[in-house]
Amino acid sequence: MKLVPLGDKIVLKQLEAEETTKSGIVLPGQAKEKPQEAEVIAVGPGGVVDGKEVVMQVKVGDKVIYSKYAGTDVELEGEKYIIVKQNDILAIVE
């Protein structure tokens, strides 16, 4: 089974948060923030959304930064994904 997003939706898989700081301090589970970096797993076709033409600017495999409270969390076959609108993507990490 696979997720196929519609319109301007994008399926993301969240990247793992680092468990130690750059100075070597190990963070307990509660201290870790939800990471805002994810990998693009699937991209919708774009098209006309709410009367406006939407051209998709990300592609499968891109690493992106997305809005902290954006999207809908989904679990499929034991894997966790986030479905967001393209305008919730803030940047592509190169």
Side-chain angles (χ1 to χ4, degrees):
M1 203 181 320
K2 68 179 189 175
L3 291 172
V4 179
L6 303 174
D8 67 338
K9 304 294 189 294
I10 299 168
V11 178
L12 303 174
K13 182 165 183 160
Q14 199 168 35
L15 298 177
E16 296 296 319
E18 288 189 32
E19 297 186 13
T20 58
T21 64
K22 289 182 181 179
S23 61
I25 298 171
V26 177
L27 297 174
Q30 300 90 339
K32 286 186 259 180
E33 280 193 35
K34 179 180 172 184
Q36 291 173 258
E37 191 172 345
E39 180 180 354
V40 176
I41 302 299
V43 178
V48 178
V49 178
D50 295 329
K52 297 178 185 171
E53 182 70 27
V54 176
V55 177
M56 302 308 281
Q57 298 177 351
V58 297
K59 61 187 179 308
V60 173
D62 282 350
K63 302 250 187 297
V64 298
I65 305 290
Y66 62 94
S67 295
K68 191 172 227 171
Y69 300 107
T72 302
D73 294 332
V74 176
E75 188 169 335
L76 181 66
E77 296 179 351
E79 294 286 335
K80 293 182 180 180
Y81 301 99
I82 304 160
I83 301 175
V84 299
K85 291 183 177 183
Q86 178 170 260
N87 61 356
D88 290 327
I89 302 288
L90 304 175
I92 297 173
V93 179
E94 294 182 346

